[in-house]
Amino acid sequence: EVDLEERLCELDLRSDSDVPDVPPPTDSTPEILKKALSGLSARWKNWWIRGILTLAMISGFFLIIYMGSFMLMLLVLSIQVKCYHEIITIGYRVYHSYDLPWFRSLSWYFLLCVNYFFYGETVADYFATFVQRREQLQFLIRYHRFISFALYLTGFCMFVLSLVKKHYRLQFYMFAWTHVTLLITVTQSHLVIQNLFEGMIWFLVPISSVICNDITAYIFGFFFGRTPLIKLSPKKTWEGFIGGFFSTVVFGFIFSYFLAQYQYFVCPVEYNSETNRFVTECEPSELFQMKKYSVPLLLQAVLGWETVNMYPFQMHSFALSIFASLIGPFGGFFASGFKRAFKIKDFADTIPGHGGIMDRFDCQYLMATFVHVYITSFIRGPNPSKLLKQLLILQPEQQLSVYKTLKSHLVEKGILQPSLRG
């Protein structure tokens, strides 16, 4: 027993270079594609496989957009769970020789706890009138944070009880692994859904900009790439990076113009408790109303225009596109460094030619945080509809107090006459 503990302690202290290799992913390419592309070189075969699967994924994405906001939320949740699974599986494979007690069970338990907390916050925030009509939900929402903390505390205690003598350091490594994975996946996916509630355009433009940058950078790099960009990702080139940047900015500007014309995309997503449906109907804000802008003198000579009509949101699309093409790729570089550290090519083999789901969404999580910060810093203002929902769930005496305070304030402002009776 002493010898076993010493051996485990030695394994616990081994260097990065001694990290066991993760088994290589299998080739999940459909046989029909393999046969059709059998005569091509590996480079062109990968080109066609990636292209065909990309078109298939984009088509599926458009279909889900057509199905509405609720399906988009389910898509985000599904991607979150799959990304979490891929990262946790790498940890399990790398350290499977240690036979850590409860590692997988606790990892999924913590995922459940964190999702319960974040989605409970969303329900309390956006579904107040729905919750008010159901007594069971009122209890869960009232004590939501206490319940969430109790659930997490249970998992924390289970982890402490699972600690094995002479094996502590590795178990704390994996505890940190789980929590960092939760931070990367669950927190960011929650922000994606928050962005979606602001209006589908805040969901579609950022995500599409990242997709556009990935595709165009790959195309420019494939055909014109000569100059390596970063050692972490040898296939990335300056030609692809620059080509992707300009393509993404142009795409974001045009795509924003198209979406800004429709209420379905620009109105905040709200839940209608009477119809039990998500609705996107509103009077579009100033961001989505056409305005006339003066063209800078330097560009007037080139374009021949003195003024141009455009939506104010298109100006914001520049910020989103620039971030997606200049900073977004660093999410991919981070993922490349992570994979190199654990001697793997892809996170999984879910999508032929692309790797795992995490390989395709490594830049999206960084983008989600930026969009949320951007909205809260520069866009979001007081929301009368949200405030009204909160007022409706107050007690009658509290509502009356708010009414009297508001009336007194309006009288002082001269908006209401003092003699007005309520």
Side-chain angles (χ1 to χ4, degrees):
E1 184 180 351
V2 174
D3 292 339
L4 177 61
E5 289 180 351
E6 290 179 353
R7 185 175 69 85
L8 291 175
C9 186
E10 290 175 1
L11 287 172
D12 193 18
L13 297 174
R14 63 191 177 185
S15 65
D16 285 348
S17 60
D18 297 325
V19 172
D21 292 333
V22 176
T26 57
D27 185 4
S28 57
T29 306
E31 288 297 328
I32 187 171
L33 274 181
K34 288 183 180 179
K35 292 180 181 179
L37 305 173
S38 59
L40 299 176
S41 64
R43 185 168 181 262
W44 278 101
K45 185 184 297 184
N46 185 61
W47 160 269
W48 280 105
I49 291 173
R50 286 176 67 102
I52 293 171
L53 268 297
T54 296
L55 290 175
M57 287 188 291
I58 291 175
S59 300
F61 185 52
F62 282 144
L63 177 62
I64 293 175
I65 293 172
Y66 175 77
M67 295 171 70
S69 305
F70 182 71
M71 293 304 298
L72 284 172
M73 294 177 199
L74 290 182
L75 174 66
V76 171
L77 178 61
S78 302
I79 291 173
Q80 173 222 113
V81 172
K82 181 57 180 172
C83 288
Y84 182 83
H85 170 258
E86 290 177 358
I87 299 176
I88 288 296
T89 299
I90 292 172
Y92 177 77
R93 287 176 176 174
V94 169
Y95 297 107
H96 72 280
S97 58
Y98 293 99
D99 192 26
L100 295 180
W102 301 357
F103 168 60
R104 270 194 159 178
S105 300
L106 282 176
S107 296
W108 288 103
Y109 177 80
F110 281 127
L111 176 67
L112 180 65
C113 291
V114 176
N115 268 310
Y116 176 81
F117 170 73
F118 279 119
Y119 282 92
E121 293 286 304
T122 300
V123 169
D125 205 14
Y126 293 96
F127 301 84
T129 53
F130 174 80
V131 171
Q132 187 66 17
R133 297 179 180 180
R134 289 160 175 79
E135 293 184 5
Q136 302 88 342
L137 291 180
Q138 287 182 37
F139 174 82
L140 293 176
I141 293 300
R142 181 178 179 83
Y143 301 103
H144 171 68
R145 295 193 176 184
F146 180 82
I147 294 172
S148 300
F149 177 71
L151 290 172
Y152 177 82
L153 201 59
T154 301
F156 179 83
C157 294
M158 290 171 64
F159 167 75
V160 173
L161 293 174
S162 73
L163 291 172
V164 178
K165 186 178 180 181
K166 293 284 182 114
H167 217 9
Y168 299 144
R169 180 177 297 183
L170 182 63
Q171 288 186 282
F172 278 101
Y173 284 161
M174 301 313 296
F175 184 76
W177 180 296
T178 298
H179 282 67
V180 171
T181 305
L182 289 170
L183 177 66
I184 293 173
T185 57
V186 183
T187 306
Q188 307 304 316
S189 64
H190 174 69
L191 295 182
V192 171
I193 292 179
Q194 292 289 306
N195 298 340
L196 176 59
F197 275 108
E198 296 295 328
M200 205 178 291
I201 196 168
W202 291 104
F203 173 86
L204 294 177
V205 171
I207 285 180
S208 300
S209 295
V210 172
I211 294 172
C212 174
N213 185 255
D214 281 345
I215 294 173
T216 54
Y218 176 76
I219 292 174
F220 277 95
F222 186 88
F223 287 105
F224 308 109
R226 297 292 183 274
T227 313
L229 176 63
I230 187 170
K231 290 182 179 179
L232 278 174
S233 191
K235 293 184 179 180
K236 298 289 193 301
T237 64
W238 275 104
E239 290 80 3
F241 186 75
I242 295 171
F245 169 76
F246 287 106
S247 301
T248 303
V249 171
V250 173
F251 167 82
F253 187 80
I254 296 173
F255 191 51
S256 298
Y257 174 81
F258 171 76
L259 295 182
Q261 301 177 55
Y262 301 96
Q263 282 191 12
Y264 182 73
F265 296 116
V266 304
C267 290
V269 177
E270 296 182 351
Y271 180 77
N272 188 322
S273 57
E274 296 180 358
T275 60
N276 288 327
R277 292 175 60 249
F278 287 100
V279 295
T280 50
E281 298 175 356
C282 68
E283 180 66 29
S285 68
E286 292 184 358
L287 277 179
F288 309 107
Q289 295 179 12
M290 189 72 73
K291 291 186 178 181
K292 183 179 291 187
Y293 292 90
S294 298
V295 177
L297 293 175
L298 185 62
L299 294 177
Q300 285 184 19
V302 179
L303 301 176
W305 302 334
E306 294 185 359
T307 60
V308 62
N309 291 326
M310 57 184 291
Y311 294 100
F313 180 82
Q314 290 178 272
M315 303 297 291
H316 294 288
S317 75
F318 281 120
L320 301 178
S321 299
I322 290 172
F323 185 92
S325 52
L326 292 185
I327 308 299
F330 280 84
F333 301 152
F334 177 86
S336 295
F338 180 90
K339 289 182 284 187
R340 281 178 171 271
F342 293 95
K343 306 175 185 179
I344 56 176
K345 182 178 181 293
D346 297 311
F347 282 95
D349 57 356
T350 309
I351 313 171
H354 292 268
I357 298 295
M358 191 64 197
D359 290 286
R360 293 276 55 84
F361 287 88
D362 45 15
C363 301
Q364 296 286 5
Y365 287 120
L366 199 59
M367 189 72 191
T369 305
F370 171 73
V371 174
H372 184 75
V373 172
Y374 189 88
I375 290 174
T376 54
S377 301
F378 305 110
I379 304 298
R380 182 183 294 160
N383 188 333
S385 176
K386 191 173 179 180
L387 179 60
L388 182 60
K389 289 180 180 179
Q390 292 174 336
L391 287 173
L392 291 175
I393 63 176
L394 295 176
Q395 296 298 321
E397 58 272 14
Q398 294 174 316
Q399 293 175 341
L400 188 59
S401 175
V402 171
Y403 166 74
K404 290 179 178 178
T405 303
L406 180 60
K407 178 183 175 182
S408 176
H409 175 74
L410 294 177
V411 169
E412 290 178 4
K413 289 281 188 179
I415 299 174
L416 290 180
Q417 296 299 322
S419 58
L420 183 64
R421 296 181 179 274

